Amino acid sequence: MKFGIIRERKNPPDRRVVLSPAECQNVLSTFPKAEILVETSPIRVFSDKEYAQKDIPVLENVENCDVLLGVKEVPINALIPNKKYFFFSHTIKKQPYNRDLLRAILAKNIELYDHEVITAPNGQRLVAFGRYAGIVGAYNGIRTYGLKYDLFQLPKAETLKDQQALITELRKIKLPNIQILLTGKGRVGNGAKEMLDAMGLKKVNVADYLKEEFSEPVYCQIDASEYNKRKDGVRGNKADFFKNPHEYKSNFFRFAEVTDFYIAGHFYGDGAPYLYTREDAKHPSFKIKVVADISCDIDGPVASTIRPSTIADPIYGYDPATEKEIDYKKDNAIAVMAVDNLPCELPRDASVGFGEAFTKYVIPAFFNNDADGILERARMTQNGKLTQRFAYLQAYANDDE
């Protein structure tokens, strides 16, 4: 089985890669029948030389490989017909901007496996960059807080080498006695938690967070069962919430009344209530002034996130009164950091972590006859058609909706 690591061609450039040089070596030593070739790239976070030093061949093209491994969407004109591809296609939610990409994949008889649907039988994702989104998102949020209030100036995450370098910078600063709220206890939320803990911030429980006064900066990490409640007054739980989101309403405002800085690291599902609305943000008791929205759902559950921001220009202001964008330093502005490709700012660490998971869960499937159904669940297209699991995309691909 011949794997090809393809050059990332999407703009803006993405420096991440599915397998680092060390991970390639790991694959080759574990699976003697595997072969890995690398397409030369001037932007990849691991240089061509680093692969060559590990005896991984670097070539001008990898067209003769069986399986092509990328991170972001492959431009239509670069797709090689009749190949197996792995990348984030951003089509499973019927994203309109990638409709033509899905059509081209079908027309070119490409067998597409989407990283986003590499899952265990219970639906849990196995390969993801979420932890690194959380790590960078928390750092960027604290950087935003310093800039809004002219307290300190942290360097941009993209200029630093790795997570440890981010932590070193965070430990140089002193936060005022603020209350920080973190939603989410999955990969993203726990990635953000790593950074708050590395700063030595005190973690407090919900009851204390809502009622106590603190003489130091503190944070509270909550999940869906703590910021939603059942409409009928019956005691709910997280499992029930995910099964019946329409039967819940937001219970978030009580946190907004005491929170200075909010980190949104939760997963938001269809039909779930918004955490806070535009009307909530207008309320005199609404206290949040800095939001790091790692989840970045536009015009959705976090009302102040009205657009994604970019690594180059990561912060904007939201005026609750006018519901418009303003200078984030203004007193009435909520400063919003909503970069939607945060792991790109930590490409080396993110690639290492992603590759370890890919080697653990995906590579074996090519050599054990897909014993655990990993490939079957992730396969979106085959023989020029959508697979049964993704047949719901047919009308989207046809432009019928």
Side-chain angles (χ1 to χ4, degrees):
M1 181 62 67
K2 198 178 283 188
F3 298 93
I5 296 173
I6 59 176
R7 178 191 307 169
E8 296 296 320
R9 291 177 165 84
K10 188 179 178 183
N11 260 326
D14 194 313
R15 303 180 67 211
R16 294 173 295 172
V17 66
V18 174
L19 298 173
S20 68
E23 204 55 50
C24 288
Q25 274 196 324
N26 185 28
V27 170
L28 296 174
S29 63
T30 309
F31 302 97
K33 291 184 177 178
E35 190 176 341
I36 300 175
L37 306 176
V38 176
E39 185 177 9
T40 182
S41 168
I43 59 153
R44 191 181 289 129
V45 69
F46 297 100
S47 66
D48 291 352
K49 184 179 177 182
E50 286 178 271
Y51 283 96
Q53 285 171 340
K54 299 282 189 187
D55 296 324
I56 312 297
V58 179
L59 308 171
E60 284 300 320
N61 76 67
V62 288
E63 289 186 15
N64 67 338
C65 290
D66 306 300
V67 183
L68 301 175
L69 307 177
V71 177
K72 285 287 183 73
E73 300 99 313
V74 176
I76 290 170
N77 61 4
L79 287 169
I80 303 168
N82 310 311
K83 292 288 182 186
K84 291 180 170 71
Y85 272 94
F86 279 80
F87 56 84
F88 286 104
S89 71
H90 296 118
T91 57
I92 62 173
K93 295 177 184 171
K94 304 182 182 179
Q95 290 94 321
Y97 55 89
N98 278 335
R99 188 197 307 267
D100 288 342
L101 173 64
L102 183 58
R103 284 183 182 149
I105 287 165
L106 292 166
K108 292 176 186 251
N109 190 34
I110 284 166
E111 200 166 298
L112 172 65
Y113 299 81
D114 193 307
H115 294 306
E116 199 167 341
V117 288
I118 298 171
T119 59
N122 66 0
Q124 181 185 353
R125 284 183 64 183
L126 298 173
V127 182
F129 285 107
R131 176 183 167 225
Y132 299 93
I135 287 167
V136 179
Y139 178 90
N140 282 3
I142 292 162
R143 180 175 179 269
T144 300
Y145 192 91
L147 291 170
K148 177 168 174 65
Y149 294 108
D150 292 317
L151 291 172
F152 47 81
Q153 289 205 337
L154 288 167
K156 280 190 157 188
E158 64 174 332
T159 66
L160 300 171
K161 183 185 177 187
D162 53 21
Q163 181 188 13
Q164 191 52 55
L166 301 187
I167 290 168
T168 299
E169 292 297 329
L170 289 177
R171 286 179 174 163
K172 293 177 185 175
I173 62 161
K174 183 168 171 51
L175 286 173
N177 300 343
I178 58 172
Q179 291 189 211
I180 302 168
L181 184 70
L182 168 61
T183 49
K185 293 186 177 178
R187 282 191 183 90
V188 175
N190 287 334
K193 180 183 185 296
E194 284 181 45
M195 303 304 277
L196 302 179
D197 288 342
M199 291 179 74
L201 295 183
K202 182 179 180 180
K203 183 183 182 187
V204 298
N205 63 37
V206 169
D208 288 348
Y209 186 85
L210 293 172
K211 292 189 176 63
E212 299 295 325
E213 296 280 328
F214 299 97
S215 57
E216 62 183 307
V218 299
Y219 82 93
C220 182
Q221 184 183 22
I222 60 174
D223 66 13
S225 61
E226 287 151 326
Y227 57 80
N228 292 292
K229 62 180 180 181
R230 284 188 62 94
K231 293 173 183 174
D232 59 11
V234 174
R235 185 177 175 83
N237 58 56
K238 193 173 175 181
D240 181 54
F241 170 73
F242 284 122
K243 190 177 175 185
N244 306 297
H246 54 281
E247 292 180 12
Y248 282 74
K249 62 182 179 180
S250 174
N251 194 23
F252 183 88
F253 195 83
R254 60 194 180 131
F255 293 99
E257 292 178 304
V258 297
T259 296
D260 303 286
F261 165 33
Y262 168 43
I263 303 172
H266 57 271
F267 169 78
Y268 178 74
D270 287 345
Y274 285 2
L275 280 83
Y276 64 85
T277 64
R278 295 187 179 196
E279 290 308 308
D280 290 335
K282 289 181 171 74
H283 196 284
S285 299
F286 187 90
K287 194 183 179 192
I288 298 169
K289 283 296 185 186
V290 176
V291 176
D293 191 350
I294 304 169
S295 302
C296 198
D297 294 300
I298 308 308
D299 283 327
V302 178
S304 45
T305 304
I306 52 175
R307 67 170 176 87
S309 56
T310 63
I311 292 171
D313 189 12
I315 311 165
Y316 60 88
Y318 173 78
D319 180 358
T322 63
E323 302 180 4
K324 297 282 194 298
E325 189 173 323
I326 56 168
D327 179 352
Y328 73 87
K329 287 200 168 190
K330 289 195 170 176
D331 288 345
N332 57 329
I334 298 172
V336 178
M337 189 292 303
V339 174
D340 60 1
N341 56 343
L342 288 162
C344 296
E345 295 194 64
L346 209 60
R348 189 170 283 261
D349 280 8
S351 297
V352 168
F354 190 89
E356 287 171 355
F358 197 87
T359 300
K360 179 178 179 180
Y361 295 111
V362 182
I363 298 291
F366 286 98
F367 300 98
N368 67 13
N369 203 24
D370 195 23
D372 300 315
I374 299 283
L375 300 179
E376 185 185 350
R377 284 189 294 276
R379 185 189 293 116
M380 290 183 63
T381 61
Q382 191 174 30
N383 301 323
K385 295 185 173 64
L386 289 159
T387 58
Q388 186 176 350
R389 190 171 178 218
F390 297 94
Y392 71 91
L393 294 172
Q394 192 62 60
Y396 160 71
N398 293 347
D399 203 9
D400 292 343
E401 55 179 50

